[in-house]
mmCIF file of all heavy atoms in Angstrom:
data_model
loop_
_atom_site.group_PDB
_atom_site.id
_atom_site.type_symbol
_atom_site.label_atom_id
_atom_site.label_comp_id
_atom_site.label_asym_id
_atom_site.label_seq_id
_atom_site.Cartn_x
_atom_site.Cartn_y
_atom_site.Cartn_z
ATOM 1 N N GLY A 89 3.266 32.970 -18.145
ATOM 2 C CA GLY A 89 4.547 33.618 -18.425
ATOM 3 C C GLY A 89 5.437 33.811 -17.211
ATOM 4 O O GLY A 89 6.478 34.497 -17.318
ATOM 5 N N THR A 90 5.081 33.231 -16.052
ATOM 6 C CA THR A 90 5.827 33.510 -14.831
ATOM 7 C C THR A 90 6.623 32.331 -14.307
ATOM 8 O O THR A 90 7.074 32.360 -13.158
ATOM 9 C CB THR A 90 4.868 33.999 -13.740
ATOM 10 O OG1 THR A 90 3.847 33.008 -13.519
ATOM 11 C CG2 THR A 90 4.215 35.324 -14.106
ATOM 12 N N GLY A 91 6.806 31.308 -15.118
ATOM 13 C CA GLY A 91 7.446 30.097 -14.604
ATOM 14 C C GLY A 91 8.962 30.056 -14.698
ATOM 15 O O GLY A 91 9.610 29.322 -13.965
ATOM 16 N N THR A 92 9.550 30.863 -15.590
ATOM 17 C CA THR A 92 10.992 30.725 -15.856
ATOM 18 C C THR A 92 11.845 30.945 -14.630
ATOM 19 O O THR A 92 12.756 30.152 -14.329
ATOM 20 C CB THR A 92 11.408 31.708 -16.966
ATOM 21 O OG1 THR A 92 10.617 31.462 -18.141
ATOM 22 C CG2 THR A 92 12.872 31.518 -17.316
ATOM 23 N N GLU A 93 11.597 32.018 -13.892
ATOM 24 C CA GLU A 93 12.435 32.318 -12.725
ATOM 25 C C GLU A 93 12.276 31.257 -11.639
ATOM 26 O O GLU A 93 13.260 30.883 -11.006
ATOM 27 C CB GLU A 93 12.108 33.705 -12.184
ATOM 28 C CG GLU A 93 12.531 34.839 -13.096
ATOM 29 C CD GLU A 93 12.148 36.194 -12.506
ATOM 30 O OE1 GLU A 93 11.045 36.296 -11.957
ATOM 31 O OE2 GLU A 93 12.957 37.122 -12.596
ATOM 32 N N ALA A 94 11.055 30.782 -11.425
ATOM 33 C CA ALA A 94 10.846 29.751 -10.417
ATOM 34 C C ALA A 94 11.587 28.455 -10.798
ATOM 35 O O ALA A 94 12.175 27.784 -9.941
ATOM 36 C CB ALA A 94 9.359 29.469 -10.253
ATOM 37 N N TRP A 95 11.587 28.142 -12.078
ATOM 38 C CA TRP A 95 12.312 26.961 -12.551
ATOM 39 C C TRP A 95 13.820 27.151 -12.362
ATOM 40 O O TRP A 95 14.527 26.230 -11.907
ATOM 41 C CB TRP A 95 11.993 26.726 -14.031
ATOM 42 C CG TRP A 95 12.947 25.804 -14.714
ATOM 43 C CD1 TRP A 95 13.926 26.144 -15.608
ATOM 44 C CD2 TRP A 95 13.026 24.382 -14.581
ATOM 45 N NE1 TRP A 95 14.604 25.025 -16.032
ATOM 46 C CE2 TRP A 95 14.064 23.933 -15.419
ATOM 47 C CE3 TRP A 95 12.315 23.457 -13.820
ATOM 48 C CZ2 TRP A 95 14.409 22.573 -15.515
ATOM 49 C CZ3 TRP A 95 12.654 22.104 -13.924
ATOM 50 C CH2 TRP A 95 13.703 21.688 -14.752
ATOM 51 N N GLN A 96 14.336 28.303 -12.656
ATOM 52 C CA GLN A 96 15.761 28.546 -12.577
ATOM 53 C C GLN A 96 16.304 28.396 -11.149
ATOM 54 O O GLN A 96 17.471 28.047 -10.975
ATOM 55 C CB GLN A 96 16.092 29.928 -13.122
ATOM 56 C CG GLN A 96 15.943 30.044 -14.637
ATOM 57 C CD GLN A 96 16.021 31.459 -15.138
ATOM 58 O OE1 GLN A 96 15.924 32.416 -14.377
ATOM 59 N NE2 GLN A 96 16.192 31.627 -16.442
ATOM 60 N N VAL A 97 15.467 28.690 -10.163
ATOM 61 C CA VAL A 97 15.966 28.599 -8.783
ATOM 62 C C VAL A 97 15.538 27.314 -8.066
ATOM 63 O O VAL A 97 15.796 27.172 -6.888
ATOM 64 C CB VAL A 97 15.528 29.822 -7.956
ATOM 65 C CG1 VAL A 97 16.123 31.084 -8.511
ATOM 66 C CG2 VAL A 97 14.017 29.930 -7.868
ATOM 67 N N GLY A 98 14.905 26.387 -8.771
ATOM 68 C CA GLY A 98 14.747 25.090 -8.144
ATOM 69 C C GLY A 98 13.385 24.444 -8.170
ATOM 70 O O GLY A 98 13.264 23.263 -7.845
ATOM 71 N N ALA A 99 12.289 25.144 -8.522
ATOM 72 C CA ALA A 99 10.991 24.496 -8.560
ATOM 73 C C ALA A 99 10.981 23.423 -9.644
ATOM 74 O O ALA A 99 11.458 23.673 -10.759
ATOM 75 C CB ALA A 99 9.889 25.523 -8.840
ATOM 76 N N ARG A 100 10.447 22.254 -9.343
ATOM 77 C CA ARG A 100 10.444 21.176 -10.328
ATOM 78 C C ARG A 100 9.042 20.855 -10.837
ATOM 79 O O ARG A 100 8.882 20.044 -11.725
ATOM 80 C CB ARG A 100 11.095 19.928 -9.721
ATOM 81 C CG ARG A 100 12.619 20.070 -9.628
ATOM 82 C CD ARG A 100 13.210 20.256 -11.009
ATOM 83 N NE ARG A 100 14.614 20.603 -11.041
ATOM 84 C CZ ARG A 100 15.071 21.845 -11.198
ATOM 85 N NH1 ARG A 100 14.227 22.856 -11.309
ATOM 86 N NH2 ARG A 100 16.359 22.088 -11.260
ATOM 87 N N GLY A 101 8.053 21.497 -10.260
ATOM 88 C CA GLY A 101 6.703 21.392 -10.785
ATOM 89 C C GLY A 101 6.146 22.799 -10.995
ATOM 90 O O GLY A 101 6.205 23.627 -10.082
ATOM 91 N N LEU A 102 5.671 23.070 -12.184
ATOM 92 C CA LEU A 102 5.142 24.387 -12.531
ATOM 93 C C LEU A 102 3.730 24.217 -13.097
ATOM 94 O O LEU A 102 3.551 23.691 -14.202
ATOM 95 C CB LEU A 102 6.046 25.084 -13.550
ATOM 96 C CG LEU A 102 7.503 25.318 -13.135
ATOM 97 C CD1 LEU A 102 8.325 25.821 -14.332
ATOM 98 C CD2 LEU A 102 7.594 26.298 -11.988
ATOM 99 N N LEU A 103 2.745 24.652 -12.318
ATOM 100 C CA LEU A 103 1.357 24.502 -12.723
ATOM 101 C C LEU A 103 0.631 25.820 -12.583
ATOM 102 O O LEU A 103 1.033 26.681 -11.787
ATOM 103 C CB LEU A 103 0.661 23.460 -11.840
ATOM 104 C CG LEU A 103 1.283 22.059 -11.773
ATOM 105 C CD1 LEU A 103 0.600 21.235 -10.697
ATOM 106 C CD2 LEU A 103 1.195 21.357 -13.124
ATOM 107 N N LEU A 104 -0.432 25.995 -13.338
ATOM 108 C CA LEU A 104 -1.276 27.169 -13.170
ATOM 109 C C LEU A 104 -2.176 26.984 -11.954
ATOM 110 O O LEU A 104 -2.526 25.862 -11.575
ATOM 111 C CB LEU A 104 -2.112 27.405 -14.422
ATOM 112 C CG LEU A 104 -1.311 27.740 -15.697
ATOM 113 C CD1 LEU A 104 -2.265 27.940 -16.872
ATOM 114 C CD2 LEU A 104 -0.454 28.972 -15.497
ATOM 115 N N ARG A 105 -2.564 28.097 -11.350
ATOM 116 C CA ARG A 105 -3.329 28.046 -10.104
ATOM 117 C C ARG A 105 -4.676 27.331 -10.271
ATOM 118 O O ARG A 105 -5.200 26.752 -9.318
ATOM 119 C CB ARG A 105 -3.570 29.446 -9.561
ATOM 120 C CG ARG A 105 -2.301 30.183 -9.151
ATOM 121 C CD ARG A 105 -2.612 31.494 -8.473
ATOM 122 N NE ARG A 105 -3.003 31.299 -7.088
ATOM 123 C CZ ARG A 105 -3.953 31.995 -6.484
ATOM 124 N NH1 ARG A 105 -4.635 32.915 -7.151
ATOM 125 N NH2 ARG A 105 -4.220 31.771 -5.214
ATOM 126 N N GLN A 106 -5.235 27.358 -11.477
ATOM 127 C CA GLN A 106 -6.551 26.776 -11.682
ATOM 128 C C GLN A 106 -6.474 25.267 -12.023
ATOM 129 O O GLN A 106 -7.442 24.680 -12.489
ATOM 130 C CB GLN A 106 -7.309 27.495 -12.781
ATOM 131 C CG GLN A 106 -6.615 27.552 -14.138
ATOM 132 C CD GLN A 106 -5.800 28.820 -14.303
ATOM 133 O OE1 GLN A 106 -5.198 29.307 -13.359
ATOM 134 N NE2 GLN A 106 -5.786 29.367 -15.523
ATOM 135 N N VAL A 107 -5.336 24.631 -11.751
ATOM 136 C CA VAL A 107 -5.179 23.215 -12.051
ATOM 137 C C VAL A 107 -6.205 22.378 -11.301
ATOM 138 O O VAL A 107 -6.582 22.674 -10.169
ATOM 139 C CB VAL A 107 -3.739 22.745 -11.691
ATOM 140 C CG1 VAL A 107 -3.486 22.884 -10.196
ATOM 141 C CG2 VAL A 107 -3.492 21.335 -12.150
ATOM 142 N N GLU A 108 -6.686 21.323 -11.959
ATOM 143 C CA GLU A 108 -7.639 20.418 -11.311
ATOM 144 C C GLU A 108 -6.913 19.579 -10.266
ATOM 145 O O GLU A 108 -5.726 19.273 -10.398
ATOM 146 C CB GLU A 108 -8.282 19.513 -12.369
ATOM 147 C CG GLU A 108 -9.128 20.272 -13.385
ATOM 148 C CD GLU A 108 -9.700 19.352 -14.436
ATOM 149 O OE1 GLU A 108 -9.365 18.140 -14.413
ATOM 150 O OE2 GLU A 108 -10.465 19.835 -15.278
ATOM 151 N N VAL A 109 -7.645 19.195 -9.229
ATOM 152 C CA VAL A 109 -7.006 18.544 -8.098
ATOM 153 C C VAL A 109 -6.367 17.211 -8.477
ATOM 154 O O VAL A 109 -5.300 16.855 -7.965
ATOM 155 C CB VAL A 109 -8.022 18.373 -6.944
ATOM 156 C CG1 VAL A 109 -9.148 17.415 -7.321
ATOM 157 C CG2 VAL A 109 -7.307 17.895 -5.685
ATOM 158 N N ASP A 110 -6.982 16.451 -9.377
ATOM 159 C CA ASP A 110 -6.397 15.172 -9.784
ATOM 160 C C ASP A 110 -5.033 15.366 -10.456
ATOM 161 O O ASP A 110 -4.097 14.607 -10.188
ATOM 162 C CB ASP A 110 -7.334 14.415 -10.732
ATOM 163 C CG ASP A 110 -8.594 13.909 -10.022
ATOM 164 O OD1 ASP A 110 -8.579 13.883 -8.774
ATOM 165 O OD2 ASP A 110 -9.547 13.541 -10.712
ATOM 166 N N ARG A 111 -4.956 16.384 -11.298
ATOM 167 C CA ARG A 111 -3.682 16.669 -11.963
ATOM 168 C C ARG A 111 -2.662 17.183 -10.967
ATOM 169 O O ARG A 111 -1.477 16.881 -11.068
ATOM 170 C CB ARG A 111 -3.887 17.684 -13.077
ATOM 171 C CG ARG A 111 -4.736 17.193 -14.245
ATOM 172 C CD ARG A 111 -4.785 18.198 -15.370
ATOM 173 N NE ARG A 111 -3.458 18.369 -15.964
ATOM 174 C CZ ARG A 111 -3.164 19.313 -16.858
ATOM 175 N NH1 ARG A 111 -4.098 20.183 -17.225
ATOM 176 N NH2 ARG A 111 -1.977 19.404 -17.375
ATOM 177 N N LEU A 112 -3.128 17.953 -10.005
ATOM 178 C CA LEU A 112 -2.229 18.466 -8.970
ATOM 179 C C LEU A 112 -1.619 17.332 -8.163
ATOM 180 O O LEU A 112 -0.391 17.305 -7.949
ATOM 181 C CB LEU A 112 -2.982 19.433 -8.067
ATOM 182 C CG LEU A 112 -2.205 19.959 -6.855
ATOM 183 C CD1 LEU A 112 -0.939 20.682 -7.292
ATOM 184 C CD2 LEU A 112 -3.087 20.876 -6.029
ATOM 185 N N VAL A 113 -2.449 16.409 -7.726
ATOM 186 C CA VAL A 113 -1.944 15.285 -6.928
ATOM 187 C C VAL A 113 -0.984 14.435 -7.763
ATOM 188 O O VAL A 113 0.083 14.014 -7.263
ATOM 189 C CB VAL A 113 -3.128 14.418 -6.419
ATOM 190 C CG1 VAL A 113 -2.607 13.143 -5.762
ATOM 191 C CG2 VAL A 113 -3.964 15.232 -5.422
ATOM 192 N N SER A 114 -1.299 14.205 -9.026
ATOM 193 C CA SER A 114 -0.397 13.436 -9.887
ATOM 194 C C SER A 114 0.951 14.150 -10.052
ATOM 195 O O SER A 114 2.012 13.504 -10.048
ATOM 196 C CB SER A 114 -1.048 13.223 -11.264
ATOM 197 O OG SER A 114 -2.220 12.440 -11.157
ATOM 198 N N ALA A 115 0.894 15.467 -10.185
ATOM 199 C CA ALA A 115 2.133 16.241 -10.316
ATOM 200 C C ALA A 115 2.961 16.176 -9.044
ATOM 201 O O ALA A 115 4.192 16.035 -9.099
ATOM 202 C CB ALA A 115 1.794 17.693 -10.664
ATOM 203 N N LEU A 116 2.319 16.272 -7.898
ATOM 204 C CA LEU A 116 3.037 16.190 -6.626
ATOM 205 C C LEU A 116 3.745 14.843 -6.500
ATOM 206 O O LEU A 116 4.921 14.778 -6.107
ATOM 207 C CB LEU A 116 2.066 16.383 -5.460
ATOM 208 C CG LEU A 116 1.484 17.791 -5.275
ATOM 209 C CD1 LEU A 116 0.357 17.765 -4.254
ATOM 210 C CD2 LEU A 116 2.566 18.786 -4.846
ATOM 211 N N ARG A 117 3.060 13.786 -6.844
ATOM 212 C CA ARG A 117 3.636 12.458 -6.784
ATOM 213 C C ARG A 117 4.826 12.335 -7.754
ATOM 214 O O ARG A 117 5.878 11.794 -7.414
ATOM 215 C CB ARG A 117 2.594 11.401 -7.127
ATOM 216 C CG ARG A 117 1.771 10.913 -5.966
ATOM 217 C CD ARG A 117 2.567 10.034 -5.046
ATOM 218 N NE ARG A 117 1.789 9.586 -3.895
ATOM 219 C CZ ARG A 117 2.328 9.016 -2.831
ATOM 220 N NH1 ARG A 117 3.645 8.885 -2.752
ATOM 221 N NH2 ARG A 117 1.583 8.648 -1.818
ATOM 222 N N ALA A 118 4.643 12.824 -8.970
ATOM 223 C CA ALA A 118 5.688 12.718 -9.974
ATOM 224 C C ALA A 118 6.939 13.473 -9.565
ATOM 225 O O ALA A 118 8.069 12.963 -9.691
ATOM 226 C CB ALA A 118 5.175 13.241 -11.320
ATOM 227 N N VAL A 119 6.782 14.698 -9.071
ATOM 228 C CA VAL A 119 7.939 15.490 -8.661
ATOM 229 C C VAL A 119 8.625 14.860 -7.458
ATOM 230 O O VAL A 119 9.854 14.822 -7.370
ATOM 231 C CB VAL A 119 7.521 16.941 -8.369
ATOM 232 C CG1 VAL A 119 8.684 17.732 -7.762
ATOM 233 C CG2 VAL A 119 7.054 17.625 -9.655
ATOM 234 N N GLU A 120 7.844 14.321 -6.526
ATOM 235 C CA GLU A 120 8.419 13.661 -5.353
ATOM 236 C C GLU A 120 9.291 12.478 -5.770
ATOM 237 O O GLU A 120 10.278 12.148 -5.112
ATOM 238 C CB GLU A 120 7.293 13.210 -4.425
ATOM 239 C CG GLU A 120 7.763 12.688 -3.074
ATOM 240 C CD GLU A 120 8.021 11.199 -3.092
ATOM 241 O OE1 GLU A 120 7.397 10.506 -3.914
ATOM 242 O OE2 GLU A 120 8.834 10.724 -2.272
ATOM 243 N N GLN A 121 8.953 11.869 -6.898
ATOM 244 C CA GLN A 121 9.704 10.725 -7.391
ATOM 245 C C GLN A 121 10.857 11.128 -8.308
ATOM 246 O O GLN A 121 11.516 10.294 -8.900
ATOM 247 C CB GLN A 121 8.762 9.760 -8.124
ATOM 248 C CG GLN A 121 7.753 9.100 -7.196
ATOM 249 C CD GLN A 121 6.682 8.320 -7.928
ATOM 250 O OE1 GLN A 121 6.763 8.117 -9.133
ATOM 251 N NE2 GLN A 121 5.654 7.896 -7.197
ATOM 252 N N GLY A 122 11.098 12.434 -8.427
ATOM 253 C CA GLY A 122 12.254 12.899 -9.174
ATOM 254 C C GLY A 122 11.981 13.369 -10.587
ATOM 255 O O GLY A 122 12.913 13.700 -11.325
ATOM 256 N N LEU A 123 10.732 13.427 -10.993
ATOM 257 C CA LEU A 123 10.379 13.884 -12.328
ATOM 258 C C LEU A 123 10.142 15.392 -12.344
ATOM 259 O O LEU A 123 9.996 16.026 -11.301
ATOM 260 C CB LEU A 123 9.125 13.162 -12.823
ATOM 261 C CG LEU A 123 9.223 11.636 -12.914
ATOM 262 C CD1 LEU A 123 7.884 11.049 -13.359
ATOM 263 C CD2 LEU A 123 10.345 11.202 -13.840
ATOM 264 N N VAL A 124 10.128 15.952 -13.533
ATOM 265 C CA VAL A 124 9.815 17.360 -13.730
ATOM 266 C C VAL A 124 8.456 17.458 -14.375
ATOM 267 O O VAL A 124 8.153 16.746 -15.341
ATOM 268 C CB VAL A 124 10.874 18.033 -14.650
ATOM 269 C CG1 VAL A 124 10.449 19.445 -15.029
ATOM 270 C CG2 VAL A 124 12.225 18.065 -13.941
ATOM 271 N N VAL A 125 7.598 18.349 -13.849
ATOM 272 C CA VAL A 125 6.236 18.494 -14.373
ATOM 273 C C VAL A 125 5.988 19.963 -14.701
ATOM 274 O O VAL A 125 6.062 20.814 -13.824
ATOM 275 C CB VAL A 125 5.192 18.001 -13.363
ATOM 276 C CG1 VAL A 125 3.780 18.211 -13.925
ATOM 277 C CG2 VAL A 125 5.419 16.537 -13.018
ATOM 278 N N TRP A 126 5.700 20.229 -15.972
ATOM 279 C CA TRP A 126 5.321 21.569 -16.401
ATOM 280 C C TRP A 126 3.919 21.515 -17.011
ATOM 281 O O TRP A 126 3.638 20.641 -17.826
ATOM 282 C CB TRP A 126 6.251 22.111 -17.485
ATOM 283 C CG TRP A 126 7.658 22.379 -17.056
ATOM 284 C CD1 TRP A 126 8.178 22.291 -15.805
ATOM 285 C CD2 TRP A 126 8.731 22.782 -17.901
ATOM 286 N NE1 TRP A 126 9.507 22.616 -15.815
ATOM 287 C CE2 TRP A 126 9.870 22.939 -17.082
ATOM 288 C CE3 TRP A 126 8.837 23.035 -19.265
ATOM 289 C CZ2 TRP A 126 11.116 23.328 -17.595
ATOM 290 C CZ3 TRP A 126 10.076 23.433 -19.770
ATOM 291 C CH2 TRP A 126 11.192 23.575 -18.939
ATOM 292 N N ASP A 127 3.084 22.463 -16.631
ATOM 293 C CA ASP A 127 1.831 22.627 -17.355
ATOM 294 C C ASP A 127 2.154 22.998 -18.811
ATOM 295 O O ASP A 127 3.089 23.739 -19.067
ATOM 296 C CB ASP A 127 1.008 23.732 -16.686
ATOM 297 C CG ASP A 127 -0.382 23.831 -17.270
ATOM 298 O OD1 ASP A 127 -0.518 24.376 -18.395
ATOM 299 O OD2 ASP A 127 -1.352 23.406 -16.624
ATOM 300 N N GLU A 128 1.382 22.468 -19.719
ATOM 301 C CA GLU A 128 1.650 22.736 -21.143
ATOM 302 C C GLU A 128 1.682 24.233 -21.455
ATOM 303 O O GLU A 128 2.518 24.709 -22.214
ATOM 304 C CB GLU A 128 0.604 22.045 -22.015
ATOM 305 C CG GLU A 128 0.851 22.204 -23.514
ATOM 306 C CD GLU A 128 -0.206 21.483 -24.334
ATOM 307 O OE1 GLU A 128 -1.102 20.863 -23.745
ATOM 308 O OE2 GLU A 128 -0.113 21.561 -25.576
ATOM 309 N N ALA A 129 0.764 24.979 -20.838
ATOM 310 C CA ALA A 129 0.705 26.424 -21.081
ATOM 311 C C ALA A 129 1.942 27.131 -20.546
ATOM 312 O O ALA A 129 2.365 28.153 -21.068
ATOM 313 C CB ALA A 129 -0.550 27.011 -20.441
ATOM 314 N N VAL A 130 2.539 26.601 -19.469
ATOM 315 C CA VAL A 130 3.733 27.195 -18.878
ATOM 316 C C VAL A 130 4.971 26.819 -19.676
ATOM 317 O O VAL A 130 5.910 27.610 -19.810
ATOM 318 C CB VAL A 130 3.888 26.742 -17.411
ATOM 319 C CG1 VAL A 130 5.186 27.261 -16.808
ATOM 320 C CG2 VAL A 130 2.700 27.197 -16.584
ATOM 321 N N ALA A 131 4.975 25.607 -20.222
ATOM 322 C CA ALA A 131 6.187 25.088 -20.878
ATOM 323 C C ALA A 131 6.582 25.883 -22.098
ATOM 324 O O ALA A 131 7.763 26.163 -22.313
ATOM 325 C CB ALA A 131 5.974 23.610 -21.245
ATOM 326 N N MET A 132 5.628 26.278 -22.937
ATOM 327 C CA MET A 132 5.970 26.932 -24.186
ATOM 328 C C MET A 132 6.703 28.261 -24.004
ATOM 329 O O MET A 132 7.743 28.488 -24.626
ATOM 330 C CB MET A 132 4.719 27.118 -25.053
ATOM 331 C CG MET A 132 5.047 27.612 -26.475
ATOM 332 S SD MET A 132 6.269 26.566 -27.329
ATOM 333 C CE MET A 132 5.321 25.049 -27.479
ATOM 334 N N PRO A 133 6.204 29.170 -23.146
ATOM 335 C CA PRO A 133 6.973 30.404 -22.929
ATOM 336 C C PRO A 133 8.362 30.149 -22.370
ATOM 337 O O PRO A 133 9.308 30.859 -22.696
ATOM 338 C CB PRO A 133 6.107 31.169 -21.914
ATOM 339 C CG PRO A 133 4.745 30.624 -22.063
ATOM 340 C CD PRO A 133 4.929 29.185 -22.417
#
Side-chain angles (χ1 to χ4, degrees):
T90 57
T92 303
E93 290 179 320
W95 164 254
Q96 289 170 345
V97 297
R100 286 298 171 261
L102 301 172
L103 304 171
L104 296 180
R105 296 187 78 218
Q106 57 266 37
V107 63
E108 296 177 356
V109 65
D110 290 345
R111 294 186 65 189
L112 174 58
V113 172
S114 296
L116 291 169
R117 273 288 178 193
V119 173
E120 188 270 334
Q121 293 171 10
L123 301 177
V124 171
V125 178
W126 293 355
D127 187 284
E128 183 179 0
V130 176
M132 188 54 65

